[in-house]
Amino acid sequence: MSSTADAVPLVRLTGISKHFGEGQTRVDALRDVSIEVYPREVVALLGPSGSGKTTLLNVIGCILDPSAGAMELDSEQVLENGHWLRSNLRQLRLDKIGFIFQSHNLIPFLDATDNVALVLQLAGKDAGTARNRAVELLDYLEVGNRKGSMPAKLSGGEAQRVAIARALANNPRIILADEPTAALDSRRAGIVMDLLRKLAVEQDAAIIAVTHDEKIFDRFDRIYHLRDGRLDSETKNSKAA
Ligand code: ADP
Ligand code: MG
């Protein structure tokens, strides 16, 4: 359930624009996009190929510099007039954001536990603490039984859940996912969506997912439609959850 009346948005974008190139080769990937996403919301970005979905996700994730606009993440103003207000964007990402990609991007020569533990070690945890927390997260995502497995031995759904565990390692409240269920059949896609919902509710998080996947449209609280870099319309889904 979304409750927008009493909450402060976790993500607030105001007038975000992004262009690539200049002159004849200029592409306006985002034009004056403003959105708000609240704690416990599961929101989709939908639109044709090239409409700016990935660009928008990457701007929210602070991995792409926008050309104009303002952004607030978890009550912190992070961007103003198209300029970052923090010099250390890597730390900002570590503090606030978890990424889930379409293909799980697990490191092939590390087992499930170490794939998750690595993120924690990069954030400064010692190896033992990192592994314990990694196993906890794998249990939470119901893949604890695969903690010693190498990525190649995992099914698509299991690998995606390990990837979600890794995205959660630093307790981010903003979770960004680019086509998280595209590689999964409907049953496994449903399991992943259930887990994202559980995260939103239990961790008071906001989930923003790019998707084309019609079989999961009814799992989102809201769908933002993008067209040619513009926010075209917004669909609310009263039946979600
Ligand atoms: P979507 O994810 O909706 O398919 P994208 O956000 O990837 O769309 O792309 C939006 C537009 O921006 C497209 O026209 C794309 O070609 C262009 N674009 C994206 N990334 C770059 C880049 N790094 N350099 C130049 N153009 C880009
Ligand atoms: Mg894309």
Side-chain angles (χ1 to χ4, degrees):
M1 280 290 289
S2 55
S3 63
T4 50
D6 52 349
V8 176
L10 270 174
V11 175
R12 190 205 300 265
L13 308 188
T14 314
I16 291 286
S17 296
K18 170 67 182 176
H19 64 264
F20 294 101
E22 293 295 343
Q24 296 221 317
T25 61
R26 173 170 166 141
V27 177
D28 287 284
L30 295 174
R31 307 169 201 243
D32 196 19
V33 171
S34 300
I35 68 173
E36 290 180 351
V37 186
Y38 289 81
R40 301 180 172 221
E41 272 197 307
V42 183
V43 165
L45 302 177
L46 183 67
S49 181
S51 57
K53 305 180 297 293
T54 297
T55 303
L56 183 56
L57 211 62
N58 287 342
V59 166
I60 299 170
C62 310
I63 53 181
L64 193 62
D65 299 333
S67 313
M71 183 158 78
E72 218 176 277
L73 298 179
D74 197 5
S75 300
E76 179 182 337
Q77 189 82 34
V78 299
L79 183 89
E80 216 167 53
N81 295 321
H83 296 289
W84 297 111
L85 299 178
R86 274 226 214 166
S87 53
N88 192 343
L89 291 178
R90 185 174 168 274
Q91 191 60 46
L92 178 63
R93 285 195 292 274
L94 274 175
D95 289 348
K96 298 191 189 286
I97 294 160
F99 276 101
I100 303 162
F101 301 94
Q102 174 176 353
S103 58
H104 53 70
N105 287 329
L106 297 176
I107 297 172
F109 51 84
L110 296 179
D111 70 15
T113 304
D114 281 334
N115 260 283
V116 179
L118 179 66
V119 181
L120 293 157
Q121 288 185 263
L122 289 174
K125 300 265 190 298
D126 67 77
T129 309
R131 285 184 61 87
N132 288 340
R133 167 93 176 118
V135 171
E136 254 174 51
L137 281 162
L138 292 172
D139 281 337
Y140 182 65
L141 289 164
E142 297 158 23
V143 277
N145 59 328
R146 306 297 264 139
K147 64 185 175 193
S149 299
M150 303 304 277
K153 299 284 183 198
L154 301 172
S155 73
E158 288 169 345
Q160 194 57 308
R161 281 183 277 161
V162 174
I164 295 174
R166 185 181 53 181
L168 299 179
N170 297 316
N171 291 317
R173 289 185 68 204
I174 300 164
I175 317 264
L176 306 177
D178 204 345
E179 307 255 7
T181 61
L184 306 177
D185 64 36
S186 8
R187 195 179 64 85
R188 294 201 170 83
I191 293 171
V192 166
M193 288 308 296
D194 285 343
L195 284 168
L196 292 177
R197 168 75 52 192
K198 171 166 118 163
L199 280 179
V201 172
E202 293 181 4
Q203 319 281 322
D204 221 19
I207 317 277
I208 305 175
V210 168
T211 189
H212 281 110
D213 195 350
E214 291 187 33
K215 60 186 184 284
I216 58 166
F217 285 167
D218 61 348
R219 313 297 282 270
F220 292 96
D221 298 308
R222 281 187 296 135
I223 298 178
Y224 281 116
H225 300 260
L226 279 166
R227 181 171 299 278
D228 295 331
R230 274 183 212 289
L231 208 58
D232 202 36
S233 59
E234 184 187 326
T235 314
K236 276 196 202 309
N237 191 351
S238 50
K239 304 196 302 286

